[in-house]
Amino acid sequence: MQVLLGIIFHFVGGFASGSFYMPYKKVKGWHWESFWIVGGIFSWFIVPPVAAYLTIPGFADIIRGASAGTLGITYLFGVLWGIGGLTYGLGVRYLGVSLGSSIILGLCMVFGAVIPSIYYDFFPKEGKDTFSMLIHSSWGLTVLAGLAVCVLAIVICGKAGMMKEKQLSAAATDPHGVVVKTEYKFALGMLVSIVSGVLSACFNFGLEAGKPMAELANEIWKAAHPNQGNFLYQNNVTYVVVLWGGLTTNFIWCMILNARNKTFGDYGNKKTPLLSNYIFSALAGTTWFLQFFFYGMGESKLGNGASSWILHMAFIILTANMWGLVLKEWKGVNQKTTRTIVIGILTIILSILIVGYGNYLKP
């Protein structure tokens, strides 16, 4: 039952992440950097402390009581994760949407799932899964098999996307529906995509670095609620610090773009539907945060090991591709291309089942 609940929570989080860009499509007359930072202020600055306040009494005291080292490294990983997200756009620009996304998402999944477990091989910690545990146990090998299948699914979806780009004359769009200008530069694109994929995985590293805060929240809750398992919302305190880092990176970049493109006027432009623009941006930002709100709930059931990150990424990719089908982004392609993307989606579902089964086998 714990495994099933964990998978369901990760599904809800993945669905939120794969869907958050939809409200942005309703924003009219604003440039990307303007609606992105308005939504980001909700994603990274407003909603996380509100969620922590509502779920963790005294969360601010936990943050104040954390060591400077814990806060510093958690914040740093948030900054690096923010850079990874921003360089994503360059990766798809130089490699194309499908190939760039496949490389970035694949690397993000692998690094985010495997690196923490390798770290705990060298610096063991009670309750943490090590890479040795994964490769020397039937449940661990099953989880790694699920990871391999999901990477295969990303490759298949990427192949389908490349086939689509060749067949359709319309401008290519990324998984969120943003039009992307492609300038094929393979070597530069590979370099940027690798950097983006590795840095994007830093969110999971940030969760690991900030784990002492989450563990304290968990201990306080368990003392007040004995014999009721782990605290569902323990990671909410960690998100506050990680997302400060993400806000820093994105705020600086968006302000640079506002200055370069002379778009500071967007925020008060009465020729645009200001109220609805702010509402839809806030809705998008809040939806984005919900991915990690539910990720934390899933993690409390499965543990913040490889399984949680694999399931999180798999459900994001699954949702993004399903939205592509619902919004008819694949309309006009031939049957071979449609069949390829369907096979990719089914392969993602298979990977989810394999990872879930691996957690079921875990003693």
Side-chain angles (χ1 to χ4, degrees), residues 5-46:
L5 282 174
I7 293 174
I8 291 173
F9 289 144
H10 281 306
F11 166 74
V12 176
F15 182 82
S17 179
S19 306
F20 86 95
Y21 216 93
M22 297 304 162
Y24 280 139
K25 292 177 176 289
K26 299 293 184 179
V27 175
K28 307 296 182 183
W30 280 8
H31 295 76
W32 177 87
E33 58 269 20
S34 301
F35 66 71
W36 182 256
I37 196 57
V38 170
I41 287 173
F42 280 84
S43 300
W44 309 311
F45 185 70
I46 296 177

Side-chain angles (χ1 to χ4, degrees), residues 312-349:
H312 178 67
M313 294 296 298
F315 280 124
I316 291 174
I317 299 163
L318 176 64
T319 302
N321 281 288
M322 292 300 293
W323 273 120
L325 293 177
V326 171
L327 296 176
K328 302 184 186 297
E329 292 179 0
W330 296 83
K331 184 178 180 180
V333 301
N334 59 31
Q335 290 185 351
K336 183 178 180 180
T337 301
T338 302
R339 186 166 56 248
T340 303
I341 188 59
V342 171
I343 291 173
I345 291 173
L346 293 176
T347 306
I348 294 173
I349 295 173

Side-chain angles (χ1 to χ4, degrees), residues 1-331:
M1 188 60 182
Q2 296 296 311
V3 172
L4 180 59
L5 282 174
I7 293 174
I8 291 173
F9 289 144
H10 281 306
F11 166 74
V12 176
F15 182 82
S17 179
S19 306
F20 86 95
Y21 216 93
M22 297 304 162
Y24 280 139
K25 292 177 176 289
K26 299 293 184 179
V27 175
K28 307 296 182 183
W30 280 8
H31 295 76
W32 177 87
E33 58 269 20
S34 301
F35 66 71
W36 182 256
I37 196 57
V38 170
I41 287 173
F42 280 84
S43 300
W44 309 311
F45 185 70
I46 296 177
V47 179
V50 170
Y53 173 79
L54 293 175
T55 56
I56 305 177
F59 83 94
D61 293 330
I62 294 176
I63 294 176
R64 280 192 292 265
S67 69
T70 295
L71 292 175
I73 195 66
T74 303
Y75 172 81
L76 176 61
F77 278 130
V79 170
L80 294 175
W81 161 74
I83 296 173
L86 292 174
T87 52
Y88 170 90
L90 289 176
V92 298
R93 177 176 181 175
Y94 294 133
L95 290 180
V97 173
S98 302
L99 180 58
S101 295
S102 298
I103 293 172
I104 293 169
L105 292 175
L107 287 172
C108 181
M109 173 178 287
V110 172
F111 277 91
V114 174
I115 294 299
S117 62
I118 294 176
Y119 172 85
Y120 287 117
D121 259 321
F122 293 96
F123 304 96
K125 189 173 182 181
E126 185 179 357
K128 292 297 184 181
D129 297 335
T130 66
F131 191 69
S132 296
M133 292 169 61
L134 292 175
I135 62 176
H136 291 109
S137 63
S138 58
W139 70 266
L141 289 174
T142 304
V143 168
L144 291 177
L147 172 62
V149 171
C150 199
V151 172
L152 173 62
I154 294 174
V155 173
I156 295 173
C157 290
K159 175 63 176 176
M162 295 173 69
M163 295 164 67
K164 171 191 168 188
E165 289 173 12
K166 289 181 180 179
Q167 293 169 34
L168 301 182
S169 58
T173 58
D174 76 6
H176 299 129
V178 178
V179 175
V180 177
K181 179 182 179 182
T182 301
E183 302 172 16
Y184 283 104
K185 297 180 180 180
F186 184 78
L188 180 58
M190 285 295 294
L191 176 62
V192 172
S193 295
I194 291 171
V195 170
S196 179
V198 173
L199 293 184
S200 294
C202 284
F203 196 99
N204 200 31
F205 303 164
L207 293 184
E208 293 289 346
K211 201 63 180 173
M213 293 183 287
E215 289 174 343
L216 179 55
N218 190 39
E219 291 171 7
I220 294 172
W221 184 86
K222 290 173 75 172
H225 303 82
N227 303 317
Q228 294 189 33
N230 288 322
F231 185 29
L232 274 177
Y233 308 113
Q234 59 182 277
N235 274 343
N236 284 355
V237 65
T238 309
Y239 294 149
V240 175
V241 181
V242 176
L243 294 176
W244 282 341
L247 173 64
T248 302
T249 308
N250 282 269
F251 184 81
I252 292 173
W253 180 238
C254 287
M255 292 303 99
I256 291 173
L257 291 181
N258 275 148
R260 179 190 298 173
N261 300 329
K262 297 180 172 59
T263 53
F264 280 112
D266 285 350
Y267 306 112
N269 187 353
K270 295 183 179 179
K271 294 181 180 180
T272 64
L274 284 177
L275 180 60
S276 65
N277 280 359
Y278 279 107
I279 290 175
F280 282 119
S281 295
L283 178 61
T286 302
T287 303
W288 182 94
F289 174 75
L290 289 177
Q291 67 169 306
F292 290 116
F293 183 84
F294 285 98
Y295 177 94
M297 295 170 67
E299 182 269 345
S300 71
K301 298 298 182 183
L302 299 180
N304 192 28
S307 301
S308 285
W309 189 251
I310 295 168
L311 289 172
H312 178 67
M313 294 296 298
F315 280 124
I316 291 174
I317 299 163
L318 176 64
T319 302
N321 281 288
M322 292 300 293
W323 273 120
L325 293 177
V326 171
L327 296 176
K328 302 184 186 297
E329 292 179 0
W330 296 83
K331 184 178 180 180

